[in-house]
């Protein structure tokens, strides 16, 4: 299953994609959780779950059946902001309320907004929650022009000061302090698209699901002042009248492979102090007798645990802040972590990688300036475990802060976190590893020949460019880590006609007059032909045309181009399309189990006649070509020369040894864009 499957019913959604060879990961999304926010939880899918790839739609939607294995509770992972004295936004309200249980208190909506005193402070009645419960807002103070609520509780029964119709004193024997005041947001908007199209109810498939939301957070001072000025009016009904603290804009992007990218922008509408982390991460769901282990690049000992190895987070005793003193290199604030659930025997079960990308305010140099108090923190309950984009940064009205974070579920076995993360126009390579290694490689054919530009400190050895097979690297000293931006090597040419069609469109890799080419003498010879694409192109079908029948089959596929030699890369193919029969004439189409990304620039299309060499088939072919390296002599220049050949190819395509050049014109090849 190369694509996303999106199930939707009104505000509830589940997103399914491939996890490993036999399992899919299913992630929840909720467009109205709670009070209109986008959340990562719904009742039909209480946790991110792994299911067999054979599981039917009915087994996973609208309710996840027993077929699923719960791996991650994300019910609190839609990240709020912090004002320095309270979390707010997301699924949080200002935590400066006092809930008081008073049986038959007699208060009504007419009393909302009235003021009450404990003899020292003034409290404001914000809501009559029911006939036996009242919610009071605490007083606020203004320091250096910034208002903040006070986490205090009444010390004596509350007596009436002003505004109430029912003025009976309120006892405080049933008091619960630090209650979140809701609603604390308004003017919520949300839009959902799958590959740029609206997502209807039911089942849809695509490559990228995007949810965009925005909402306003009122100031706490404004909530109290507006309630007092509008006695008898529920505050929830007049939220737009309250002066705004900031606007939150979130973008959630799901992609195949269990990936979620979250971008958050906080725009101040009045002056305030901001702490923000873009994405928070509840711990993974453990297995019986197992534990959860977490590694954090560039972090040493903090909270009594050594994060440069696999720290057992189940033993974390207290809230832990990662400060500059805990960093190996203080110029790179803590930006990422990998967490694994392991069994009692230490066997990996499932993992997650979370981190901030070095874009916008997430660039290490910018973060180092604004996270001197902490760049990451983990609560003792493990409920909050995430990077801080800024901590203690004061924003003037109109200023914004933007960060982008990735979340990626990981399948075992894994010795390293090796990711390619795309954010807008930038692609990033992330490598993080505990333990030394002389040579390893991150597969990244889609980034072939890109320049690797380090973003922040690294202690890994990598090449300047992405090679044909990916990013080879070495870890001389444990732990190893690094993040690189994969930049195009020079300006890309204009896209080729046909290569930029919408999904489902067929295109030729070359156009022009055609001929017929009989493969006499080509039995078990892999014939490789150079092809060019101006842009990386995902394809899910490959077609050739048989014009005269023969025996056996044609196997075809694609090899990468090695710019160092000007020849096909000798390692395994980018794709083996399988075989097509040549016993009948017509267009023969290979339907791929998963889309293949053909790289931008040159690649080599290969075709080999196999199985039975009795009668050579004839295929549709075209003329033309490009420069060809003949070797140390000019002897091979005589006659037609169209590409390179590999002899003795009897089965699936693999590593190759070039045997020389061949005289067969390039076959007519058409692909369907995925």
């Amino acid at each position: 299953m190369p694509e996303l499957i999106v199930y939707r019913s009104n505000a509830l959604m589940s997103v399914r994609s491939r996890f490993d060879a036999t399992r899919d990961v299913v992630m929840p999304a909720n467009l109205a959780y709670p009070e209109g926010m986008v959340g990562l939880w719904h009742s039909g899918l209480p946790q991110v779950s792994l299911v067999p790839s054979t599981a039917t739609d009915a087994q996973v939607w609208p309710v996840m059946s027993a077929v699923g294995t719960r791996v991650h509770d994300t019910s609190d992972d839609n990240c709020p902001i912090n004002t320095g004295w309270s979390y707010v936004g997301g699924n949080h309200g200002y935590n400066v309320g006092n809930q008081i249980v008073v049986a038959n208190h007699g208060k009504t909506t007419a009393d909302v907004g009235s003021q009450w005193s404990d003899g020292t402070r003034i409290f404001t009645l914000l809501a009559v929650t029911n006939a036996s419960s009242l919610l009071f807002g605490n007083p606020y103070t203004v320091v250096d022009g910034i208002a903040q609520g006070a986490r205090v509780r009444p010390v004596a029964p509350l007596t009436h000061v002003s505004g109430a119709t029912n003025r009976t004193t309120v006892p405080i024997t049933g008091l619960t302090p630090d209650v979140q005041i809701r609603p604390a947001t308004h003017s919520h908007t949300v839009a959902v698209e799958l590959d740029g199209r609206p997502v209807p109810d039911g089942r849809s498939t695509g490559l990228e699901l995007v949810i965009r939301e925005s909402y306003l957070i009122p100031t706490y001072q404004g909530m109290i002042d507006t309630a007092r000025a509008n006695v008898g009016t529920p505050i929830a009904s007049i939220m737009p009248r309250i002066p705004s603290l900031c606007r939150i804009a979130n973008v959630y992007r799901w992609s195949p492979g269990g990936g979620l990218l979250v971008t958050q922008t906080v725009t101040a509408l009045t002056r305030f102090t901001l702490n923000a982390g873009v994405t928070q991460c509840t711990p993974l769901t453990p297995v019986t007798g197992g534990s959860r282990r977490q590694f954090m690049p560039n972090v040493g000992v903090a909270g009594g645990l050594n994060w440069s190895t696999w720290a057992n987070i189940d033993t974390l005793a207290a809230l832990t802040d990662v400060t500059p003193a805990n960093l190996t290199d203080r110029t790179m604030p803590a930006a990422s972590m990998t967490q694994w659930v392991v069994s009692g025997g230490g066997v990996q079960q499932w993992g997650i990688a979370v981190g901030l990308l070095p874009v916008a305010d997430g660039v290490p140099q910018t973060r180092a300036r604004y996270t001197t108090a902490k760049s990451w923190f983990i609560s003792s309950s493990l409920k909050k475990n995430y990077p801080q984009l800024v901590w203690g940064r004061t924003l003037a009205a109109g200023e914004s802060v933007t960060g982008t974070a990735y979340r990626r579920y990981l399948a075992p076995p894994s010795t390293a976190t090796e990711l390619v993360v795309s954010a807008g126009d930038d692609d990033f390579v992330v490598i993080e590893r505990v333990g030394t290694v002389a040579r390893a490689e991150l597969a990244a054919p889609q980034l072939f020949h890109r320049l690797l530009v380090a973003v922040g400190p690294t202690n890994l050895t990598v090449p300047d460019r992405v090679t044909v097979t990916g990013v080879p690297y070495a870890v001389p000293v444990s732990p190893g880590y690094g993040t690189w931006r994969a930049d195009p090597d020079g300006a890309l040419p204009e896209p080729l006609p046909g290569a930029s069609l919408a999904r489902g469109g067929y295109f030729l890799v070359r156009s022009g007059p055609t001929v017929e080419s009989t493969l006499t003498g080509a039995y078990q010879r892999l014939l490789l032909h150079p092809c060019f694409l101006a842009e990386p192109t995902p394809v899910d079908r490959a077609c050739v045309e048989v014009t005269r029948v023969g025996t056996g089959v044609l196997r075809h596929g694609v090899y990468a181009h090695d710019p160092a030699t000007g020849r096909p890369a000798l390692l395994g193919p980018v794709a083996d399309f399988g075989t097509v029969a040549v016993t009948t004439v017509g267009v023969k189409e290979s339907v791929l189990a998963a889309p293949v990304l053909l790289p931008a620039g040159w690649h080599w299309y290969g075709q080999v006649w196999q199985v039975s060499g009795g009668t050579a088939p004839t295929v549709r072919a075209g003329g033309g070509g490009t420069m060809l390296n003949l070797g140390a002599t000019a002897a091979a220049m005589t006659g037609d020369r169209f590409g390179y050949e590999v002899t003795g190819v009897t089965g699936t395509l693999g590593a190759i040894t070039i045997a020389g050049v061949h005289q067969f014109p390039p076959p007519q090849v058409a692909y369907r864009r995925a």
Side-chain angles (χ1 to χ4, degrees):
M1 185 185 66
E3 298 178 309
L4 297 175
I5 297 176
V6 179
Y7 308 95
R8 180 176 184 181
S9 177
N10 295 319
L12 305 185
M13 306 175 72
S14 289
V15 185
R16 180 177 181 178
S17 65
R18 182 55 54 89
F19 179 69
D20 59 19
T22 61
R23 294 178 293 179
D24 296 342
V25 58
V26 189
M27 298 175 281
N30 190 335
L31 306 182
Y33 169 76
E35 303 158 10
M37 301 300 100
V38 169
L40 304 179
W41 178 93
H42 64 72
S43 57
L45 184 59
Q47 289 197 21
V48 175
S49 297
L50 299 179
V51 301
S53 297
T54 55
T56 65
D57 294 336
Q59 288 176 305
V60 303
W61 177 261
V63 176
M64 176 64 67
S65 69
V67 72
T69 300
R70 297 182 178 185
V71 299
H72 194 201
D73 178 4
T74 53
S75 59
D76 198 46
D77 281 8
N78 55 331
C79 195
I81 64 168
N82 184 287
T83 63
W85 54 273
S86 176
Y87 284 96
V88 67
N91 58 342
H92 291 65
Y94 288 115
N95 62 346
V96 286
N98 281 289
Q99 193 87 34
I100 303 178
V101 175
V102 184
N104 302 314
H105 52 66
K107 304 288 191 293
T108 67
T109 299
D111 300 302
V112 171
S114 58
Q115 300 177 50
W116 301 76
S117 174
D118 67 350
T120 303
R121 303 178 183 88
I122 301 296
F123 297 82
T124 303
L125 181 61
L126 290 181
V128 178
T129 50
N130 57 53
S132 300
S133 181
L134 301 169
L135 177 65
F136 288 88
N138 292 357
Y140 62 81
T141 58
V142 179
V143 179
D144 193 24
I146 298 175
Q148 58 185 40
R151 297 182 68 177
V152 296
R153 64 181 69 188
V155 296
L158 295 174
T159 60
H160 179 257
V161 174
S162 66
T165 300
N166 183 317
R167 302 176 180 180
T168 305
T169 297
V170 178
I172 61 171
T173 51
L175 184 146
T176 301
D178 304 333
V179 171
Q180 294 186 34
I181 298 170
R182 293 192 173 105
T185 64
H186 66 91
S187 302
H188 182 250
T189 65
V190 63
V192 186
E193 291 182 341
L194 181 63
D195 295 343
R197 303 184 301 274
V199 182
D201 280 0
R203 181 188 191 273
S204 304
T205 61
L207 294 176
E208 184 182 58
L209 174 69
V210 180
I211 299 178
R212 294 180 174 87
E213 71 167 342
S214 69
Y215 55 86
L216 294 173
I217 298 177
T219 66
Y220 181 69
Q221 177 184 5
M223 290 181 71
I224 297 300
D225 291 351
T226 301
R228 291 177 176 180
N230 294 272
V231 173
T233 303
I235 194 71
S237 68
I238 53 173
M239 294 289 282
R241 299 188 198 175
I242 303 173
S244 294
L245 180 78
C246 63
R247 179 183 297 277
I248 304 293
N250 294 324
V251 180
Y252 299 87
R253 297 179 185 273
W254 281 264
S255 58
L260 172 59
L261 204 66
V262 184
T263 297
Q264 184 175 74
T265 298
V266 182
T267 303
L269 299 176
T270 191
R271 186 168 178 267
F272 80 107
T273 300
L274 173 67
N275 307 322
V278 182
T279 189
Q280 66 185 57
C281 184
T282 305
L284 296 172
T285 303
V287 294
T288 302
S291 61
R292 291 166 289 195
R293 307 293 175 127
Q294 183 167 313
F295 161 63
M296 299 176 67
N298 196 45
V299 181
V301 175
L305 298 180
N306 184 357
W307 304 95
S308 67
T309 60
W310 290 107
N312 184 349
I313 63 174
D314 295 314
T315 65
L316 191 68
L319 185 150
T320 297
D321 294 333
V322 176
T323 69
N326 307 122
L327 303 176
T328 303
D329 186 331
R330 295 194 177 200
T331 66
M332 190 182 82
S336 60
M337 69 88 165
T338 298
Q339 185 182 122
W340 280 95
V341 168
V342 298
S343 68
V347 178
Q348 293 173 330
Q349 304 296 305
W350 44 79
I352 189 171
V354 176
L356 281 174
L357 289 177
V359 296
D361 293 284
V363 173
Q365 296 88 334
T366 303
R367 288 188 64 225
R369 178 181 175 187
Y370 292 114
T371 58
T372 54
K374 66 179 75 176
S375 57
W376 195 288
F377 86 96
I378 310 172
S379 64
S380 56
S381 68
L382 304 180
K383 192 175 183 180
K384 296 186 184 297
N385 180 1
Y386 63 114
Q388 295 305 299
L389 182 68
V390 295
W391 189 271
R393 179 176 174 179
T394 298
L395 301 180
E399 285 189 302
S400 295
V401 167
T402 298
T404 297
Y406 62 86
R407 299 162 67 97
R408 185 79 58 85
Y409 290 100
L410 307 174
S414 174
T415 56
T417 301
E418 299 174 346
L419 306 175
V420 175
V421 183
S422 297
D425 296 330
D426 293 319
D427 297 306
F428 294 94
V429 171
V430 179
I431 302 174
E432 299 168 354
R433 188 177 188 126
V434 175
T436 60
V437 64
R439 179 179 170 83
E441 191 162 58
L442 179 156
Q446 71 273 36
L447 302 181
F448 174 57
H449 210 56
R450 294 275 196 94
L451 296 171
L452 289 173
V453 180
V455 187
T458 176
N459 61 353
L460 299 182
T461 302
V462 299
D464 293 335
R465 284 180 171 83
V466 180
T467 69
V468 168
T469 54
V471 182
Y473 67 92
V475 182
V477 178
S478 178
Y481 53 85
T483 299
W484 296 264
R485 190 179 62 250
D487 288 348
D489 187 6
L492 291 175
E494 287 295 318
L496 289 181
S500 57
L501 285 175
R503 292 176 61 244
Y506 288 84
F507 64 93
L508 293 170
V509 292
R510 60 171 59 85
S511 61
T514 63
V515 297
E516 290 186 291
S517 175
T518 302
L519 300 182
T520 303
Y523 185 60
Q524 296 181 354
R525 291 165 64 188
L526 174 62
L527 308 176
L528 293 157
H529 303 269
C531 301
F532 183 86
L533 288 174
E535 60 185 4
T537 306
V539 300
D540 59 10
R541 298 190 182 191
C543 308
V544 295
E545 183 185 359
V546 177
T547 58
R548 298 182 188 180
V549 299
T551 56
V553 299
L554 285 179
R555 179 178 294 277
H556 58 155
V558 166
Y559 282 79
H561 177 69
D562 186 347
T565 64
R567 295 185 171 197
L570 302 182
L571 299 177
V574 172
D576 185 334
F577 298 146
T579 61
V580 295
V582 296
T583 52
T584 59
V585 298
V587 173
K588 307 297 181 177
E589 187 169 54
S590 294
V591 179
L592 310 186
V596 170
L597 186 70
L598 299 182
W602 292 102
H603 68 269
W604 294 81
Y605 172 82
Q607 191 178 86
V608 54
W609 172 30
Q610 295 179 332
V611 178
S612 174
T615 302
T618 300
V619 298
R620 183 78 60 193
T626 184
M627 293 178 64
L628 198 68
N629 183 347
L630 297 177
T633 72
M637 68 175 287
T638 59
D640 293 336
R641 300 300 179 191
F642 290 103
Y644 299 104
E645 70 174 13
V646 180
T647 57
V649 180
T650 60
T652 58
L653 303 182
I656 57 175
T657 300
I658 301 295
V661 293
H662 68 76
Q663 74 284 11
F664 294 91
Q668 182 90 304
V669 182
Y671 294 110
R672 190 178 80 164
R673 187 181 180 98

